[in-house]
Amino acid sequence: MVSSRHEAMHRIFQHDPGAFTRLMRTLDLPFPDPVAVDQVTVDLTETRPVERRADTILRITTRDGPFLLIVEAQGRPEVRKPAAWSYYLSFLIAKYELPVVLAVVCRDHATATWAAGPLRLGHDLWTCLSVSPIVLGPHNVPAVLDVDTARHDLPLAALSAITHARQPHIGAILKSVAEAFRQAGDQDETQLFIELVYHGLGRTTAGTTWKELMDADLSFFRGPLAQALREEGLDAGRAKDVLLILRHRGVHVPADAAERIAACRDQRTFDTWMRRALEISAVEDLFD
């Protein structure tokens, strides 16, 4: 099964502990260099039947001692999120008795400004809690616009692509990152960061652009995600052929029928529809 962007996010630091150091130095934050990075369970549910699950939790071990890092991907401001984040912080401090830091990855300036806070909880007349995350966004993660920089620091390149997803220069970033990945070659590390960028961009225009770059320039891309994307592309082609035949023959295809055809993922069904499309006079007969 293909991992989600939340499940993939921790791998950028877990795979390369030095990525955390480089990023913290870029942001001028006083965190010591990590010796090891390990994933911690993201399930923060108590015995009560209320599910609470952070995106990613890492245990970062340094020469000065360990601490926990919560990494959250945030696409837009959410009124309920500060309360959830304060719960994550309090729960982890109580459970592990370690310092805890929250980092929020944002894809636009507005969300980054909101997430930086301080996010205050309590009463309008009195703040009882205040949450101030480390925010990674287009305002502080550098835009990687040249191939050499991307090739020498793949984790930074991946974060740059994700955090600048809605910026005007995202096209140039994605082209540089794609070329850097291509030059890096068919390695597990390259595959990891290709997936990370794909999940991090999500259903944005940049995500569509990245998918097109993978299809066109990254023919070496492999793994479950690659196979799923290739099959999706084949299915889209089959659906297009069925619709083309129907419309060429003058068969009216309503929007709901077109969506049903486009959503199909079964080869035998496509074969049946292709044969029927050559004969039927009403689209309802396609689905009988």
Side-chain angles (χ1 to χ4, degrees):
M1 179 175 292
V2 177
S3 61
S4 71
R5 66 190 172 99
H6 302 322
E7 292 168 333
M9 188 64 73
H10 72 274
R11 295 159 69 186
I12 197 167
F13 298 125
Q14 191 175 16
H15 176 81
D16 181 4
F20 177 80
T21 301
R22 294 192 297 274
L23 186 60
M24 293 302 103
R25 287 175 181 170
T26 299
L27 302 180
D28 196 26
L29 294 173
F31 288 94
D33 294 353
V35 176
V37 177
D38 302 292
Q39 188 178 11
V40 178
T41 177
V42 298
D43 191 347
L44 306 180
T45 307
E46 299 180 89
T47 54
R48 295 178 297 170
V50 177
E51 183 175 342
R52 293 182 175 89
R53 190 175 295 271
D55 290 350
T56 292
I57 304 173
L58 301 175
R59 179 188 174 103
I60 297 181
T61 303
T62 73
R63 290 184 175 85
D64 297 337
F67 68 94
L68 299 181
L69 175 67
I70 306 171
V71 184
E72 286 274 288
Q74 192 66 27
R76 66 183 187 280
E78 291 185 54
V79 174
R80 296 183 179 181
K81 210 64 178 185
W85 289 340
S86 67
Y87 173 85
Y88 299 165
L89 291 163
S90 300
F91 181 94
L92 290 171
I93 291 171
K95 180 176 181 178
Y96 292 97
E97 298 183 349
L98 289 173
V100 182
V101 177
L102 170 64
V104 181
V105 181
C106 303
R107 294 190 298 223
D108 60 78
H109 286 286
T111 305
T113 300
W114 164 81
L119 304 168
R120 305 184 187 281
L121 299 167
H123 194 279
D124 290 343
L125 301 177
W126 194 270
T127 299
C128 293
L129 289 173
S130 179
V131 181
S132 298
I134 295 172
V135 176
L136 308 179
H139 64 295
N140 58 3
V141 175
V144 177
L145 295 168
D146 63 282
V147 177
D148 286 342
T149 301
R151 189 177 65 250
H152 287 100
D153 197 337
L154 296 184
L156 177 63
L159 275 175
S160 178
I162 294 168
T163 54
H164 290 262
R166 294 192 172 98
Q167 302 308 302
H169 49 258
I170 183 59
I173 293 175
L174 294 180
K175 287 180 181 178
S176 297
V177 172
E179 176 60 21
F181 288 166
R182 188 188 67 79
Q183 292 183 16
D186 186 10
Q187 306 175 35
D188 289 343
E189 179 185 58
T190 310
Q191 304 299 327
L192 183 153
F193 290 122
I194 290 172
E195 279 197 43
L196 180 64
V197 172
Y198 175 79
H199 291 301
L201 294 175
R203 296 182 179 181
T204 61
T205 302
T208 302
T209 301
W210 182 246
K211 181 179 173 182
E212 292 171 352
L213 286 170
M214 284 194 293
D215 290 340
D217 300 331
L218 302 176
S219 57
F220 63 86
F221 184 38
R222 56 181 167 80
L225 174 59
Q227 184 61 30
L229 291 176
R230 291 187 183 108
E231 290 175 357
E232 181 181 320
L234 290 173
D235 291 339
R238 296 183 188 116
K240 185 177 180 180
D241 289 341
V242 172
L243 291 169
L244 185 64
I245 292 172
L246 290 172
R247 287 164 179 162
H248 179 73
R249 296 186 60 248
V251 178
H252 175 63
V253 182
D256 58 342
E259 290 177 2
R260 181 174 175 182
I261 294 170
C264 180
R265 295 293 180 268
D266 182 73
Q267 176 62 54
R268 291 185 180 180
T269 300
F270 274 125
D271 291 343
T272 300
W273 286 352
M274 190 71 74
R275 290 194 301 270
R276 291 179 178 176
L278 296 169
E279 303 171 351
I280 61 175
S281 57
V283 74
E284 292 78 11
D285 297 331
L286 188 73
F287 305 122
D288 286 344

